[in-house]
Amino acid sequence: MGAPEEAKRRAEELRRAIAYHDYRYYVLAAPEISDAEYDELVRELRSLEEKYPELVTPDSPTQRVGPPPDAAFAPVRHRARMFSLDNAFSREELEEWERRLGRFLEERLGPGDRQVAYAAELKVDGVAVALTYEGGRLVKAATRGDGVVGEDITANVKTLRGVPLRLLDPLPPEVVEVRGEVYMPVASFEALNREIGEKGQPLFANPRNAAAGSLRQKDPRVTAGRDLRLIVHGVGYVEGRTFSRHLEALEWAAEAGLPTSPHNRLCADLEEVWEYCREWQERKEVLPYEVDGVVVKVDSLELQEALGYTAKAPRWAVAYKFPAEERVTRVLDIRVNVGRTGAVTPFAVLEPVRVGGATVSLATLHNEDEIRRKDIRIGDWVVVRRAGEVIPEVVAPIPSRRTGEEREFQMPSHCPSCGAEIVRPPGEKVARCTGASCPSQLLERIFHFASRGAMDIEHLGYQTISALIEKGVLKDVADIYSIRPEDLLGIQGFKDKAIKNLLSAIEASKNRPLARLLTALGIRHVGGGVAEILAAHYRSLDRLAEASEEELAAIPGIGPTIASSVASFFRNPKNREVVEKLKRAGVRTEEVEEGEAPVGPLAGRTFVITGTLASMSRAEAWERIKALGGKVSESVSSRTDYLVVGEGPGSKLEKARKLGVRTIGEEEFLRLLRGEAV
């Protein structure tokens, strides 16, 4: 027997009431009922749904935390591309952006005196997401990804109380995809770090990283336990509703129950935009979340359409970035870090200080010459700078605060890790440890070997590697493939499931392509692109190991410096021994036969990339080209079919023009990847 009509009506009333009070509490911060009264509404609804299971709907407040999805983070194609933004760092750059708008509008629409109004919004430092509603119900939430395809995070986004599962609009659009930022308030971030720190777990670097990590939990219950919020900043796609202005669309979003910023402002001209930027640059500390700038958009959607897009970004929007945040703190010590190639890099140990959204206690000093040039001493009060993801650095000392007790830094003569001599070759800025079995170099080498761009061994991080080195389990990278379950017992975080996951990841890595193995070996000057060239040319690690320096240098895209480095690596008996151990462990050291090579729409075409791509890293671009049957190269030649030109192209662009090689922008490149003609 089905649920009676009275129960159906009451369940619907309760769902609407709870959604309304969620909106009052989480979006407007103006609750109308007490927590106890709210809890009573939820209990009544849950009781009805338990009694009549057919009353449960996907948008019921009781369904915010469901089971993990069958395919966590499955790919989701956005209905409209999510572009990144161009940046401006000064008023002059904002004015230049406006002049470009004027010139482009004149070209597109003809001469005319146009008064362009702007929408100014705070640039929340969070994770970009897209939420799709159909008939007013939330059906999909996805990360930005490469702007074309993101990852499905619907189950996790549903746990955010401020996100309506059903829009309050009684006549919602047929389909609407809204864009926004998921963020974690600063106070919640600090509380979370205290909590996980007490458990001995790694801390998050900043609120944005905490939000990203929380959104990518496979168990939505973990996400539900984190204080994540959403701010909607745009409508990317809509069916069944039209808007004429950007801020009009945001006003609709707010009325529909979506959280929007109360600080959005319509500016009549760039002067008002600049006042808004200056105001919030000074006031940003009063906000409960972190912002790193102001997003400026042309408010008219008709003008936005006329302006269109470049390969990277909309012409009608720009992000004004606040100046790099600087703080003053004290240098407690100057120490050195030994990298995987033996490079010895000095760094400053600081009195902890919050800079650019993160607590900083270490900062790079680059090299010995830089320390001398800036005259940075142990005990100095210094200016420290950090902006976004840039590694914190010491900008300059404050000599007026010196007491005379400060000490000059002296590069150690011997490695603090292995005791071997540290030498600085004539003409080079970098000093190097000469220890062949240096533990610090070993740690960095193994971490590089297991990293995502190399063998991609998930769960094998710094702490685990360090513990295995201390136990004597890892003496070189090949020892990874000899790790036994008992070797992991006693290491923090490793119990039955974690042990199984790591060993499975190690086993899976044995079948990585040859180019990934070459990258993983850490041969100096051999990055992903060079590794691709060498793998394609020799197709076998054994054949590459026997190649002479002269033979290597003759390969297009290699040259004498790389050739010398590769030949030297394989002449070293210890390196040859590691290669043999990898082969005995079952690691793939040969490329697939030509007949087995992947085929696809890019088959037979060779690509070179210059500059920075907005939608993906260079390594990701290479992977996508190869997956579609294409080839990649580091250097332009007459055999190059396409030079993909990103932001800040180098000399490859000039060479391509001289050789008559076709050049394409990022937008054309993305169309090729989607199988479209260009």
Side-chain angles (χ1 to χ4, degrees):
M1 183 177 176
E5 288 300 318
E6 184 180 348
K8 292 178 183 177
R9 283 196 299 272
R10 181 56 180 162
E12 182 61 23
E13 288 173 5
L14 288 167
R15 279 193 287 269
R16 291 191 178 279
I18 292 167
Y20 172 75
H21 290 301
D22 278 343
Y23 172 66
R24 299 289 309 180
Y25 186 92
Y26 292 101
V27 178
L28 300 183
E32 292 181 345
I33 60 175
S34 68
D35 290 351
E37 290 171 309
Y38 176 87
D39 292 341
E40 183 56 39
L41 293 175
V42 175
R43 276 196 295 270
E44 185 183 350
L45 177 60
R46 185 172 284 116
S47 176
L48 273 174
E49 291 179 345
E50 287 173 355
K51 187 174 181 180
Y52 305 108
E54 66 269 30
L55 295 181
V56 178
T57 62
D59 63 343
S60 173
T62 63
Q63 303 303 299
R64 280 196 179 273
V65 183
D70 292 334
F73 315 126
V76 174
R77 181 171 289 275
H78 299 300
R79 290 177 179 269
R81 180 178 167 187
M82 294 180 70
F83 284 83
S84 56
L85 295 174
D86 286 330
N87 294 325
F89 296 92
S90 65
R91 177 167 182 161
E92 290 72 25
E93 291 185 12
L94 278 176
E95 291 171 346
E96 175 54 35
W97 170 73
E98 186 180 50
R99 283 193 288 272
R100 288 198 303 272
L101 292 186
R103 289 194 297 268
F104 203 85
L105 286 174
E106 190 168 320
E107 289 174 9
R108 286 287 178 91
L109 304 178
D113 185 17
R114 296 180 184 86
Q115 185 64 32
V116 179
Y118 301 102
E121 308 165 8
L122 295 176
K123 187 174 180 295
V124 179
D125 200 10
V127 180
V129 296
L131 277 59
T132 301
Y133 289 84
E134 294 181 359
R137 296 175 187 267
L138 177 63
V139 296
K140 191 72 69 180
T143 61
R144 178 183 179 276
D146 64 5
V148 178
V149 177
E151 293 181 319
D152 190 336
I153 52 171
T154 309
N156 289 351
V157 166
K158 279 185 172 182
T159 69
L160 278 63
R161 289 284 182 180
V163 174
L165 302 180
R166 183 194 294 184
L167 297 176
L168 298 181
D169 187 345
L171 295 171
E174 296 168 24
V175 179
V176 61
E177 184 187 78
V178 296
R179 275 82 185 273
E181 294 284 320
V182 171
Y183 68 93
M184 182 177 287
V186 173
S188 302
F189 159 71
E190 292 172 346
L192 175 62
N193 261 357
R194 282 195 299 272
E195 178 187 335
I196 62 179
E198 289 168 1
K199 297 177 181 177
Q201 298 172 358
L203 303 183
F204 288 107
N206 52 50
R208 182 177 68 252
N209 286 355
S214 301
L215 270 181
R216 287 187 54 80
Q217 295 293 324
K218 292 183 179 178
D219 185 348
R221 290 172 298 184
V222 177
T223 307
R226 308 274 175 86
D227 183 17
L228 296 179
R229 314 286 180 91
L230 171 73
I231 286 185
V232 169
H233 55 58
V235 173
Y237 178 87
V238 64
E239 293 178 13
R241 180 70 61 93
T242 57
F243 304 105
S244 61
R245 297 168 44 246
H246 169 70
L247 288 179
E248 177 195 354
L250 287 184
E251 287 164 7
W252 165 82
E255 291 169 359
L258 291 157
T260 59
S261 172
H263 307 298
N264 296 338
R265 186 180 299 172
L266 178 64
C267 299
D269 52 33
L270 205 65
E271 183 63 35
E272 290 187 16
V273 168
W274 183 243
E275 285 303 313
Y276 182 92
C277 293
R278 288 179 58 191
E279 173 189 342
W280 281 107
Q281 189 172 315
E282 295 173 2
R283 292 185 57 208
K284 65 180 185 293
E285 298 299 332
V286 307
L287 296 166
Y289 47 83
E290 293 194 332
V291 298
D292 59 358
V294 169
V295 177
V296 186
K297 301 173 183 175
V298 172
D299 190 44
S300 165
L301 298 186
E302 182 182 358
L303 291 183
Q304 284 189 13
E305 186 175 356
L307 288 163
Y309 302 81
T310 66
K312 174 188 173 185
R315 293 188 180 90
W316 43 264
V318 69
Y320 169 71
K321 302 298 287 290
F322 293 148
E325 194 171 336
E326 296 182 345
R327 289 287 186 269
V328 173
T329 188
R330 193 161 172 262
V331 176
L332 302 178
D333 197 5
I334 296 178
R335 300 174 188 168
V336 296
N337 176 67
V338 182
R340 64 183 173 86
T341 63
V344 179
T345 306
F347 64 92
V349 180
L350 308 170
E351 281 187 359
V353 61
R354 193 161 177 80
V355 187
T359 299
V360 170
S361 57
L362 303 173
T364 183
L365 294 169
H366 300 292
N367 55 58
E368 189 177 10
D369 288 351
E370 190 72 358
I371 295 174
R372 300 279 176 261
R373 186 182 69 80
K374 292 180 177 178
D375 188 24
I376 297 167
R377 306 176 189 180
I378 299 168
D380 265 341
W381 288 93
V382 293
V383 177
V384 180
R385 174 189 295 156
R386 181 182 182 277
E389 288 301 306
V390 177
I391 297 170
E393 68 169 333
V394 176
V395 179
I398 305 175
S400 62
R401 297 187 67 171
R402 284 178 176 157
T403 64
E405 296 182 3
E406 294 78 17
R407 294 176 289 120
E408 290 190 2
F409 167 74
Q410 297 295 330
M411 179 66 75
S413 59
H414 291 79
C415 175
S417 181
C418 70
E421 186 180 5
I422 291 176
V423 299
R424 181 176 169 183
E428 291 194 13
K429 290 186 176 182
V430 178
R432 297 186 184 277
C433 165
T434 57
S437 57
C438 176
S440 287
Q441 292 184 53
L442 177 60
L443 172 63
E444 296 289 348
R445 279 198 299 271
I446 294 175
F447 182 76
H448 170 76
F449 186 91
S451 65
R452 182 170 294 181
M455 299 302 274
D456 193 13
I457 304 176
E458 198 174 358
H459 314 296
L460 190 58
Y462 266 115
Q463 290 183 329
T464 305
I465 296 168
S466 181
L468 290 170
I469 290 173
E470 287 181 19
K471 282 188 166 194
V473 174
L474 297 180
K475 297 182 179 64
D476 57 47
V477 296
D479 286 337
I480 291 172
Y481 297 97
S482 301
I483 295 174
R484 302 165 301 173
E486 53 265 35
D487 295 329
L488 298 165
L489 294 174
I491 297 177
Q492 184 177 347
F494 278 93
K495 293 185 179 178
D496 291 347
K497 186 176 180 181
I499 291 172
K500 182 179 178 182
N501 287 342
L502 174 55
L503 295 180
S504 296
I506 291 171
E507 186 64 28
S509 75
K510 290 180 178 179
N511 201 38
R512 301 282 184 245
L514 177 58
R516 297 280 286 276
L517 176 59
L518 286 174
T519 302
L521 288 174
I523 305 170
R524 199 173 178 201
H525 304 304
V526 177
V530 171
E532 292 284 355
I533 295 170
L534 293 172
H537 190 87
Y538 288 100
R539 310 193 68 76
S540 160
L541 199 59
D542 286 341
R543 286 195 287 274
L544 173 61
E546 298 304 322
S548 68
E549 195 170 319
E550 293 74 18
E551 181 186 328
L552 287 161
I555 299 171
I558 299 301
T561 301
I562 298 172
S564 174
S565 180
V566 172
S568 175
F569 178 88
F570 286 108
R571 279 197 302 266
N572 187 315
K574 290 191 175 181
N575 292 337
R576 297 294 286 261
E577 183 183 333
V578 168
V579 168
E580 289 303 315
K581 284 175 68 175
L582 289 169
K583 290 165 64 178
R584 290 196 298 271
V587 175
R588 173 176 147 190
T589 59
E590 294 192 355
E591 198 57 281
V592 294
E593 292 302 316
E594 288 289 349
E596 302 173 44
V599 294
L602 302 185
R605 288 185 269 184
T606 300
F607 291 76
V608 176
I609 299 173
T610 182
T612 303
L613 301 180
S615 59
M616 68 190 81
S617 68
R618 189 169 295 191
E620 289 170 329
W622 286 333
E623 291 289 340
R624 293 183 67 171
I625 290 167
K626 289 183 293 176
L628 295 173
K631 297 179 181 179
V632 295
S633 176
E634 281 277 4
S635 58
V636 176
S637 72
S638 58
R639 293 187 292 273
T640 303
D641 294 289
Y642 294 102
L643 175 68
V644 182
V645 182
E647 191 75 18
S651 59
K652 294 173 185 175
L653 179 57
E654 185 60 33
K655 186 173 181 181
R657 286 170 176 161
K658 288 180 180 177
L659 293 173
V661 171
R662 183 177 179 184
T663 61
I664 58 174
E666 186 168 356
E667 186 60 40
E668 293 172 295
F669 176 56
L670 291 171
R671 289 208 298 271
L672 276 177
L673 295 181
R674 294 195 293 267
E676 301 170 9
V678 296

